[in-house]
């Protein structure tokens, strides 16, 4: 999933360490953002 977001032009904005539990294992949640240049630049 990380590579998909990166290839789409998104940038990792934040990481929440051990935020969720999947199969009894803590996993990180990574937030992505895609920044678009506005009309001024």
């Amino acid at each position: 999933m990380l590579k998909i977001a990166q290839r789409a032009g998104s940038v990792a904005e934040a990481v929440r360490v051990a935020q969720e539990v999947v199969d009894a294992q803590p996993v990180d949640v990574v937030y992505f953002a895609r920044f678009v240049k506005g009309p001024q630049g």
Side-chain angles (χ1 to χ4, degrees):
M1 291 299 288
L2 297 176
K3 286 187 179 184
I4 292 171
Q6 291 168 343
R7 288 181 185 160
S10 298
V11 178
E13 186 174 10
V15 177
R16 297 187 75 167
V17 178
Q19 181 66 32
E20 300 289 332
V21 177
V22 178
D23 295 329
Q25 296 292 321
V27 294
D28 299 346
V29 173
V30 182
Y31 290 93
F32 280 88
R34 184 165 182 211
F35 299 99
V36 180
K37 291 183 181 178
Q40 296 176 357

